[in-house]
Amino acid sequence: MKDFIFITGASGIGKTTLANGLLKHYKTTCIEQHMIPEFISRDGVEEMTGELEERTCWENQVAMLLCFHRLGYKNIIATDIDDLRTADIPVVFKGYHYITIKLVCHDPEQIRRQMENRPNNGLIDYELQEKMNTKNLERKPLVNEVEIDVTEKTAEEVRIEAINMIDTFISELNYAYEKPPKELFYSWVFANGLR
């Protein structure tokens, strides 16, 4: 069993679909960034910036993850994380048994089709999505991070591959880690020159 299962990847690649499949399989809990309660400002006056909003979401999500872990939950699934925060996972969760599954795809049209068929009609920005995916394809895996290429795979095939990885992967607990430069990641806050 893992303490945490992180799922990352570009928008529309199938993170939520995989998270839901893993939740059904492991029967534990899943924490997504959109679950953070609504907030407008810290004091009712100060204007909320994108950077503060992202930081508030991230720190709330981390607090929720650690709370569930303290209560004895295992295989806690986390997704919908700003990609830039992927580099923080090895810092914040060092010493825990975790795996990060990075979904990638070599067929931009496949992701476009998946985005078009999203049930919640989320943000559809194909140009940005393609740039996000390219960054993910170029970036080497981090500590305890594995890749699943979803190209030409069904959601069920991706789910089975993820379960096999999770169940057999041995997490590194004590490692040296130097946080990579932020230019290797995309961010909905900073857009890192993607727009």
Side-chain angles (χ1 to χ4, degrees):
M1 277 199 259
K2 298 289 178 284
D3 293 317
F4 303 101
I5 301 165
F6 297 95
I7 303 170
T8 65
S11 181
I13 203 162
K15 297 185 300 292
T16 299
T17 301
L18 176 58
N20 289 337
L22 295 178
L23 180 61
K24 187 175 180 181
H25 177 79
Y26 290 112
K27 298 175 175 57
T28 57
T29 186
C30 178
I31 299 170
E32 295 191 66
Q33 184 175 285
H34 76 270
M35 295 173 174
I36 307 305
E38 288 296 320
F39 52 92
I40 300 170
S41 77
R42 290 191 285 195
D43 59 6
V45 177
E46 174 189 21
E47 193 171 317
M48 181 63 65
T49 65
E51 189 173 356
L52 179 58
E53 178 184 358
E54 188 279 332
R55 181 176 174 196
T56 302
C57 287
W58 168 247
E59 291 191 13
N60 270 271
Q61 191 172 18
V62 167
M64 290 170 67
L65 290 165
L66 294 175
C67 176
F68 272 91
H69 184 267
R70 257 192 329 275
L71 293 172
Y73 287 77
K74 294 292 183 186
N75 292 330
I76 302 166
I77 302 156
T79 191
D80 197 26
I81 300 164
D82 188 29
D83 188 58
L84 191 58
R85 289 297 181 177
T86 303
D88 291 328
I89 293 171
V91 176
V92 176
F93 295 94
K94 184 175 184 175
Y96 292 95
H97 292 271
Y98 75 88
I99 184 173
T100 301
I101 298 173
K102 178 172 72 163
L103 300 181
V104 297
C105 184
H106 287 87
D107 180 7
E109 286 304 312
Q110 177 179 329
I111 303 175
R112 182 183 291 255
R113 288 190 303 274
Q114 288 172 193
M115 287 180 78
E116 288 171 348
N117 295 318
R118 289 168 92 168
N120 60 358
N121 293 323
L123 174 68
I124 297 178
D125 183 336
Y126 300 117
E127 182 182 349
L128 178 60
Q129 187 284 323
E130 192 168 339
K131 290 177 181 178
M132 290 175 175
N133 191 55
T134 299
K135 273 202 180 277
N136 257 344
L137 285 167
E138 292 170 350
R139 181 177 61 76
K140 292 180 182 173
L142 305 173
V143 176
N144 292 331
E145 184 176 49
V146 296
E147 287 185 0
I148 294 181
D149 188 349
V150 304
T151 308
E152 296 184 9
K153 291 178 184 167
T154 65
E156 179 65 11
E157 289 170 327
V158 172
R159 185 183 72 85
I160 290 168
E161 187 174 344
I163 290 167
N164 288 336
M165 283 184 169
I166 293 162
D167 291 348
T168 60
F169 183 82
I170 299 172
S171 302
E172 289 186 54
L173 300 177
N174 189 17
Y175 47 79
Y177 175 72
E178 186 174 328
K179 195 169 165 182
K182 69 178 184 177
E183 290 75 27
L184 296 178
F185 303 86
Y186 63 87
S187 171
W188 62 267
V189 177
F190 302 106
N192 288 349
L194 294 180
R195 289 189 186 270

